[in-house]
Amino acid sequence: MRTRNEPCLPTVSALLPRAQAGDRRAMNDLLLHIAPFVRRLCFSISRRHGSDAAQEAMLAIYRGVAGLREPSAFYGWVRAVTVREAVRTSKRLGQGPAGELPELAQDGNPLAVVHISDVMDRLPNQHRQILTLRAVYGLNEQEMADTLSVPVGTVRSRLYRARRHFQDAWHQRSA
């Protein structure tokens, strides 16, 4: 619901073609519109370097928006670019992604999220990364392979090992 003092921003469907045509104001409004979404994704993947990851993602979106051919795929494209840039930033800055699993807190016990986050922090970087991409972002194996620039078989083996290590760490925590 919009308040009287809040400006009426055009929709993405109105902004996107103008931004792709070089309208700087439309590009600015479009980036402002997606910024909270991009920040939320980046901070859940790269906790310590979330700001850097968000900045890299916004820059990649800015550079790539002109090449987006299917406007209806905008949000999916933004998500893919953001996840890719967050993973790259985490790797570049020497920290694997750390998923806080924020969606689990909505319906469950808030204390469970603290325990899950603690267990995730104790996992190797590759395992945190793959579990975050699967559990938080719902990526399938091919999407994870594309995001991480590894073969699908590598994704499958990492996912298997990550689940095993998570279960082992969870049982150690509760013992």
Side-chain angles (χ1 to χ4, degrees), residues 119-146:
V119 171
M120 291 289 283
D121 286 342
R122 290 188 273 141
L123 294 177
N125 292 339
Q126 289 181 339
H127 294 169
R128 274 196 309 266
Q129 186 177 54
I130 205 84
L131 288 174
T132 299
L133 292 175
R134 173 69 97 188
V136 176
Y137 301 110
L139 299 183
N140 65 35
E141 291 171 351
Q142 184 60 54
E143 291 169 328
M144 288 189 285
D146 294 342

Side-chain angles (χ1 to χ4, degrees), residues 4-168:
R4 281 189 282 176
N5 296 334
E6 187 177 311
C8 181
L9 293 176
T11 63
V12 170
S13 59
L15 290 172
L16 187 56
R18 292 180 21 223
Q20 288 178 314
D23 181 337
R24 289 181 185 208
R25 175 76 173 169
M27 178 65 79
N28 186 55
D29 289 347
L30 189 64
L31 292 174
L32 285 173
H33 174 74
I34 62 168
F37 174 67
V38 169
R39 278 193 302 271
R40 191 170 53 250
L41 287 176
C42 288
F43 275 97
S44 64
I45 293 175
S46 182
R47 196 178 306 165
R48 290 184 203 122
H49 302 293
S51 294
D52 292 329
Q55 190 173 27
E56 292 295 326
M58 293 295 281
L59 187 57
I61 291 164
Y62 172 79
R63 288 178 178 156
V65 77
L68 182 63
R69 294 174 196 235
E70 187 58 50
S72 64
F74 177 71
Y75 288 106
W77 175 76
V78 166
R79 184 183 98 180
V81 169
T82 300
V83 169
R84 183 188 70 225
E85 291 303 321
V87 169
R88 283 182 182 170
T89 300
S90 291
K91 284 181 180 178
R92 189 183 79 233
L93 297 176
Q95 175 220 347
E100 296 178 24
L101 303 177
E103 285 77 15
L104 295 176
Q106 293 174 358
D107 297 326
N109 178 355
L111 190 55
V113 175
V114 172
H115 295 306
I116 290 169
S117 183
D118 178 56
V119 171
M120 291 289 283
D121 286 342
R122 290 188 273 141
L123 294 177
N125 292 339
Q126 289 181 339
H127 294 169
R128 274 196 309 266
Q129 186 177 54
I130 205 84
L131 288 174
T132 299
L133 292 175
R134 173 69 97 188
V136 176
Y137 301 110
L139 299 183
N140 65 35
E141 291 171 351
Q142 184 60 54
E143 291 169 328
M144 288 189 285
D146 294 342
T147 299
L148 299 171
S149 301
V150 297
V152 174
T154 301
V155 167
R156 289 180 183 141
S157 65
R158 284 184 189 174
L159 191 56
Y160 173 79
R161 285 190 208 108
R163 286 176 175 154
R164 258 193 31 220
H165 285 141
F166 182 90
Q167 288 173 347
D168 292 346

